[in-house]
Amino acid sequence: MSEAQADRATLGAMVHTAQDHLFVVDAAGRILDVSPGAATVYGMPREALCATTVQALQASGVLSPSVSLEVIRTGQPAQLMQRTGTGRQVIAEAHPVYVGGRLVRVISRSRDLTDLRLLQDEYALLQQRFTDHLKRHHEAPAEMPAEAGELVVKSRLMREITQLLKRSAPTDATVLMLGESGVGKTAFARQLHRWSRRCDGAFVDVNCAAIPESLFESEMFGYQPGAFSGAARQGKAGLLEQAHNGTLFLDEIGELPLTMQSKLLKVIQDGSLTRLGDTRSRRVDFRLVVATNRDLARQVEEGAFRLDLYYRLNVIPVTLPPLRERREEIRGLAERQLERLNRRYGDDKMLHPRAWAELMSAEWPGNVRELENWLERAWLAAESSVIGGPAGGEPGTAGAPPSQHPTEPASGALLGEGEGLKAALAAHEQRILAQLAQTHGSTYALAERLGISQPSVVRKLKRYAITLGRERGDS
């Protein structure tokens, strides 16, 4: 057998045994080979598919649109959503094959998303039924135990979310936590881990925005001894390996660079990884939970997030509401934080009643994180055992809750003539950053004040050409 024959036999075996639906197409759009599973999804026998062209399939509605035609048109890899003649929805991607600078083949593969969508619909239906049940039984006492572990859950909405997480905990379905910065996504992810069958394994918490792109692969995948200059002599297991038999929590997943998105997707699909400098793959088995305060669907539209990874992650979406929409929980969260502070600093301080009233009425744009940070500052600033009372600082001082921040105009933001919402929000963000940059000496302090990540602060300061007071040489 010649080398060319061996190559053809190898390619044929790969196509005929593939779990994904593979198409091999020439530069004119003629279909040369198809994997057997494609017949079910596209509703045509394999022999009939191999006897036609992608142009004809698109024109007849067997697949719409054709990802192979997009590659033939542009000469570049492509990825898109397809609707098939059988009514199924698939995610399709295709790659060009060049010989001597000339396009000769297009290899495409598609994965059926219909079953995934059905699972999402089932969860949505369960969630809606639970909501309807709560509405029908709204007379139930508010103090009914929520069995929320270490979470503070008082509001009806948060009870619903807690029950959804408890139902999904015994499975390995990926959970996507959504919500503003500081709403408590990490706390809910930890509780989900405690409820799961993997509770005896590790909970590995990774902030994707905090790891430089140059170090991301070595930190996530690990490395062998001598893999690169400065590598530890004994090598290192990456964070993915450390999560084996446990839960991997990827916070700020929207900050993940595109190159790392493809590597993460491969691990999720294959269940294995290869350390830097190694030749053998290692099996990994973990429950994946991710979180973001970004709109991932919009990032997909803008080309900043992979569509196939998005659908892998968006199995059970859970949106945590901001603190201002669940004020019932402010008292419980504050009491829990005060208990922590009293244990940490060895004292027994409490809030004055006037401080409680301001806590309950504040907007808390930084959500739970801002509430906890304010309480710690107020605890440390209080000169007596009462926080916010006559001996501990009158309301309205620097320690008072932010009922209205000094950077917010009292009359509300108004649009200028011909000014759009996006431009107005950007201008308001710039004013806030410029004012706070005068009084905060580091990006970490500014990030804590704003309730966002430090890398996000760095990007925003660069975008608006703002420097911190210390960087300008201010005293």
Side-chain angles (χ1 to χ4, degrees), residues 367-416:
N367 296 294
V368 178
R369 184 184 296 124
E370 184 183 7
L371 171 64
E372 293 177 345
N373 289 343
W374 177 85
L375 283 167
E376 183 163 9
R377 288 194 300 272
W379 196 103
L380 294 171
E383 298 177 358
S384 71
S385 61
V386 179
I387 302 172
E394 293 291 338
T397 63
S403 300
Q404 180 169 323
H405 290 280
T407 51
E408 295 174 357
S411 60
L414 297 177
L415 294 179

Side-chain angles (χ1 to χ4, degrees), residues 217 265 375 393:
E217 188 169 5
L265 177 63
L375 283 167

Side-chain angles (χ1 to χ4, degrees), residues 276-346:
L276 288 177
D278 202 357
T279 57
R280 69 182 181 92
S281 62
R282 302 165 187 261
R283 298 294 299 174
V284 286
D285 178 20
F286 51 77
R287 168 74 172 282
L288 183 61
V289 182
V290 300
T292 183
N293 57 9
R294 290 184 169 226
D295 185 345
L296 289 186
R298 179 177 294 275
Q299 284 190 263
V300 170
E301 294 175 1
E302 296 172 351
F305 203 86
R306 289 181 63 101
L307 179 63
D308 45 4
L309 179 58
Y310 173 70
Y311 278 107
R312 286 280 183 173
L313 301 180
N314 191 31
V315 179
I316 304 178
V318 176
T319 301
L320 299 180
L323 190 56
R324 59 186 174 274
E325 294 180 8
R326 44 182 172 119
R327 295 182 182 275
E328 306 97 312
E329 289 156 12
I330 291 177
R331 176 174 288 273
L333 290 166
E335 289 174 344
R336 186 181 66 177
Q337 176 68 348
L338 284 175
E339 290 175 4
R340 290 176 182 155
L341 294 170
N342 286 333
R343 287 196 305 268
R344 182 186 307 166
Y345 298 117

Side-chain angles (χ1 to χ4, degrees), residues 435-466:
Q435 180 170 346
L436 294 179
Q438 299 175 13
T439 56
H440 291 71
S442 73
T443 54
Y444 290 96
L446 187 53
E448 180 181 351
R449 174 64 183 83
L450 294 171
I452 61 178
S453 69
Q454 186 265 351
S456 296
V457 168
V458 173
R459 284 194 297 274
K460 291 178 185 295
L461 293 178
K462 183 177 180 181
R463 180 190 308 161
Y464 298 119
I466 298 173

Side-chain angles (χ1 to χ4, degrees), residues 49-234:
L49 288 172
C50 291
T52 186
T53 65
V54 288
Q55 291 92 332
L57 294 181
Q58 179 174 271
S60 61
V62 173
L63 51 83
S64 179
S66 168
V67 69
S68 297
L69 282 180
E70 181 66 14
V71 173
I72 293 173
R73 183 182 68 84
T74 65
Q76 300 294 324
Q79 184 183 83
L80 48 79
M81 298 293 299
Q82 275 184 354
R83 177 69 65 176
T84 74
T86 58
R88 303 184 76 84
Q89 191 173 34
V90 302
I91 180 171
E93 59 179 304
H95 299 269
V97 178
Y98 288 95
V99 174
R102 184 172 61 91
L103 178 68
V104 294
R105 296 286 187 272
V106 176
I107 309 294
S108 70
R109 68 173 185 176
S110 60
R111 290 184 295 282
D112 190 359
L113 296 177
T114 307
D115 293 337
L116 174 60
R117 287 297 182 89
L118 290 174
L119 178 62
Q120 291 176 327
D121 292 343
E122 182 180 349
Y123 272 105
L125 180 60
L126 287 171
Q127 191 170 4
Q128 185 60 49
R129 285 176 176 171
F130 185 73
T131 303
D132 294 342
H133 173 78
L134 288 176
K135 290 178 180 177
R136 289 194 301 270
H137 299 82
H138 62 275
E139 70 278 6
E143 62 273 17
M144 179 180 65
E147 297 181 2
E150 297 185 8
L151 301 175
V152 175
V153 175
K154 298 289 185 182
S155 68
R156 178 181 299 173
L157 179 58
M158 294 307 292
R159 290 177 186 279
E160 176 184 342
I161 291 172
T162 301
Q163 292 299 325
L164 173 62
L165 290 176
K166 289 190 72 174
R167 289 197 302 270
S168 63
T171 74
D172 276 340
T174 300
V175 175
L176 171 61
M177 300 261 186
L178 303 168
E180 296 178 6
S181 179
V183 292
K185 296 186 284 291
T186 301
F188 277 84
R190 286 186 183 277
Q191 188 58 52
L192 177 65
H193 171 70
R194 295 187 189 102
W195 283 329
S196 75
R197 60 184 177 84
R198 299 174 179 269
C199 58
D200 293 331
F203 178 84
V204 179
D205 183 358
V206 181
N207 187 333
C208 296
I211 305 177
E213 184 174 355
S214 58
L215 299 178
F216 196 90
E217 188 169 5
S218 62
E219 288 295 313
M220 292 294 290
F221 291 82
Y223 54 83
Q224 290 295 93
F228 52 86
S229 177
R233 182 177 302 175
Q234 68 275 19

